[in-house]
Amino acid sequence: MRNNKKPKVTLIGAGPGDPDLITVKGVNALKNAKVVLYDALVNRDLLSYVSVTAKKIFVGKRKGIHSFSQEEIHKLMLENAFEYGNVARLKGGDPFIFGRGGEEIDYLTSFGIETEIISGISSSMAVPASAGIALTKRGVSESFWVITGTTSDNKLSKDIYLAAQSTATVVILMGMSKLAKIVPIFRKYGKGDIPTAIIQNGTTSNEKIGVGTINSIQEVVEQKKLSSPAIIIVGEVVKESVKLRSFYEEFTYLPA
């Protein structure tokens, strides 16, 4: 039976993994939703905020296996909005930072569907912070880049070549499968000794951290068996972290 309410879809950022890092506004939107479409990286604890009478649809992917294509997700949002009125699209991190939120908004508005964006805390900032890494620090880093390691056509982002030449902190999302290509780029620009961290499942109870330099990070990944989902952080700020500083002091990466 078609709902009499005006159809609306709210894109909600679930944050980086820790369920406590969703916004209050996001929680309230989940409580009011009649249908929730959620992704793989969304912490399932957040579904406890959803009404027991609401419809919950998993539309995420794991290890390249898609439950639904993006086109199918578009249609699910549209159909459920018309049928139930109030749909929540729960996405990991922030919907507009490599979350395809812009594409979903464009599709929905082309059908006259009302939309709302509720920003989430991006993993690009929250995950380094969980390890005590400040992406910017006076006298150390004046800016930071956030780059996808893998583009929509499964290639390495060309922006990494530009970022490797800068003094900025570089945060690479979805880059683990391209690590073997990323490392030589930084080496090419004389960054072999720059501190580097990889954080898997950041902000969650099963978080794993590997630290080293560009020259050693692949060995670290192998030793610690790090894999996706993980974030790569390259920059001098890594060794400034109180939590990680002892590693660099022990291996004399800090200046004398």
Side-chain angles (χ1 to χ4, degrees):
M1 182 176 179
R2 190 176 291 271
N3 194 294
N4 292 325
K5 289 187 176 181
K6 183 179 179 181
K8 177 182 178 180
V9 177
T10 303
L11 271 63
I12 306 168
D18 181 343
D20 290 339
L21 291 178
I22 191 172
T23 63
V24 173
K25 190 171 185 178
V27 168
N28 289 334
L30 286 176
K31 289 178 178 179
N32 293 325
K34 301 299 182 184
V35 180
V36 178
L37 284 75
Y38 63 98
D39 284 343
L41 293 180
V42 168
N43 191 308
R44 299 301 191 277
D45 289 350
L46 294 177
L47 298 180
S48 66
Y49 294 115
V50 180
S51 169
V52 293
T53 61
K55 185 178 177 183
K56 305 177 188 71
I57 305 172
F58 174 73
V59 294
K61 64 177 181 177
R62 280 296 191 189
K63 295 182 179 178
I65 301 173
H66 296 250
S67 296
F68 294 91
S69 68
Q70 189 62 42
E71 291 72 23
E72 288 171 326
I73 293 172
H74 287 168
K75 290 178 181 177
L76 278 171
M77 289 189 294
L78 184 68
E79 291 168 359
N80 282 283
F82 278 124
E83 184 172 355
Y84 296 97
N86 189 353
V87 174
R89 175 77 171 99
L90 187 61
K91 303 170 74 69
D94 181 271
F96 278 2
I97 300 182
F98 304 120
R100 305 190 75 168
E103 297 172 41
E104 294 177 355
I105 291 295
D106 289 345
Y107 179 84
L108 293 165
T109 53
S110 72
F111 287 89
I113 301 291
E114 179 185 354
T115 60
E116 182 181 0
I117 307 298
I118 299 178
S119 297
I121 299 175
S122 172
S123 60
S124 62
M125 297 179 290
V127 170
S130 72
I133 301 171
L135 297 184
T136 62
K137 186 175 182 180
R138 187 178 299 186
V140 181
S141 175
E142 300 172 358
S143 60
F144 64 94
W145 293 58
V146 180
I147 306 171
T148 178
T150 306
T151 63
S152 59
D153 55 358
N154 201 35
K155 294 182 180 178
L156 183 69
S157 172
K158 293 180 181 179
D159 284 345
I160 291 177
Y161 291 88
L162 300 174
Q165 298 176 62
S166 96
T167 58
T169 304
V170 182
V171 181
I172 304 171
L173 308 183
M174 297 171 285
M176 290 299 284
S177 65
K178 298 289 191 292
L179 187 61
K181 294 182 178 180
I182 292 169
V183 165
I185 294 171
F186 281 88
R187 283 177 177 159
K188 176 183 177 181
Y189 294 106
K191 302 288 183 66
D193 291 328
I194 197 165
T196 303
I198 292 181
I199 305 175
Q200 178 183 331
N201 295 316
T203 77
T204 70
S205 59
N206 56 340
E207 177 179 282
K208 293 172 67 176
I209 302 176
V211 293
T213 64
I214 280 291
N215 284 333
S216 67
I217 199 62
Q218 286 176 281
E219 183 180 349
V220 171
V221 167
E222 188 174 333
Q223 288 174 346
K224 291 186 171 287
K225 295 180 170 51
L226 299 174
S227 61
S228 299
I231 289 179
I232 304 165
I233 306 115
V234 183
E236 295 298 331
V237 292
V238 172
K239 74 178 181 213
E240 296 289 320
S241 166
V242 172
K243 294 182 179 181
L244 306 179
R245 189 177 295 164
S246 60
F247 170 85
Y248 293 99
E249 289 174 342
E250 181 181 352
F251 289 93
T252 65
Y253 289 128
L254 287 174

